[in-house]
Amino acid sequence: LIYTKTRFMQSAAKFTQCPQWDGVEIAFAGRSNAGKSSALNALTEQTKLARTSKTPGRTQLINFFQVDETPYRLVDLPGYGFAKVPKAIKIEWQKQLSTYLDKRECLRGLVLVMDIRHPMTEFDKTMVDWAHESNMPLHILLTKADKLKRGPASATMLQVRKAVANMGDLATVQMFSSLKNDGVKELRKHLTKWFMD
Ligand code: GTP
Ligand code: MG
């Protein structure tokens, strides 16, 4: 799979606007500002594929990207848990997110992106539980690993691995840095396995 040949297809503001799709999808979810869009850009070696920002809440739409000329798509989901968004809008996003996760039949895996300095927030745990309950393969990206020294970064990874150990093979955890392009190969390996399964 040539991830560098990924292109933007379309956006949806609501689940009901998600395109009909008989291919396979993998979604990137996570807290606002965790680094989802940056991870997608690192994965595809593109700088402007997914829009990134210092301001949390940048991605407000469900964005669909297609890998080359394949039936495989990557989805950039709006982040959750950003405090400065009005409550009504937050609730609406969470509703859309849970609908997407529950109803999207072509969804084959969830990449849960966490800032390695703030892993496993309450809402992250909700996402992990959801993946567990619905038997959805889960890959946790501990990103911004460049912000921690090797020791603390490894300690966090072990902690998170322990937290999802009850999911067995369904959940995997890796370190990542979009800044340093660290972990790209490992991420691609996981995605390809899910796509091809
Ligand atoms: P929302 O769309 O708001 O949900 O955010 P997001 O999860 O898509 O985060 P985004 O990729 O826009 O990144 C947020 C901020 O973190 C930006 O300022 C990025 O430059 C920075 N960032 C993302 N990944 C890394 C990383 O691996 N290392 C460092 N040092 N900074 C990063
Ligand atoms: Mg984003």
Side-chain angles (χ1 to χ4, degrees), residues 9-10 18-26 64-75 100 104-108 195:
M9 300 306 284
Q10 63 195 102
C18 286
Q20 286 275 4
W21 179 236
D22 39 25
V24 177
E25 233 161 67
I26 291 173
F64 297 87
F65 304 93
Q66 182 165 321
V67 182
D68 203 1
E69 299 301 327
T70 66
Y72 305 137
R73 286 188 177 182
L74 302 165
V75 182
Y100 171 84
R104 192 70 173 162
E105 287 189 355
C106 59
L107 188 63
R108 289 294 178 279
F195 278 140

Side-chain angles (χ1 to χ4, degrees), residues 32-38 52-53 57-59 79 144 146-147 178:
S32 199
N33 211 44
K36 298 174 292 298
S37 300
S38 302
T52 64
S53 165
R58 169 75 266 167
T59 309
K144 308 194 189 182
D146 55 278
K147 296 268 196 187
S178 302

Side-chain angles (χ1 to χ4, degrees), residues 21-121:
W21 179 236
D22 39 25
V24 177
E25 233 161 67
I26 291 173
F28 283 59
R31 195 171 171 222
S32 199
N33 211 44
K36 298 174 292 298
S37 300
S38 302
L40 274 163
N41 289 339
L43 168 73
T44 56
E45 294 174 34
Q46 298 184 39
T47 48
K48 280 177 262 177
L49 183 71
R51 287 185 67 189
T52 64
S53 165
K54 285 196 176 68
T55 316
R58 169 75 266 167
T59 309
Q60 303 204 355
L61 297 165
I62 306 173
N63 289 309
F64 297 87
F65 304 93
Q66 182 165 321
V67 182
D68 203 1
E69 299 301 327
T70 66
Y72 305 137
R73 286 188 177 182
L74 302 165
V75 182
D76 191 12
L77 295 171
Y80 46 76
F82 175 51
K84 282 182 191 154
V85 171
K87 197 167 179 199
I89 293 183
K90 253 204 297 207
I91 289 170
E92 176 59 28
W93 281 8
Q94 294 192 357
K95 213 174 75 190
Q96 294 300 332
L97 179 62
S98 56
T99 309
Y100 171 84
L101 294 173
D102 276 341
K103 302 270 155 64
R104 192 70 173 162
E105 287 189 355
C106 59
L107 188 63
R108 289 294 178 279
L110 183 69
V111 177
L112 188 53
V113 180
M114 301 178 194
D115 184 325
I116 195 162
R117 296 164 301 172
H118 314 285
M120 286 290 192
T121 63

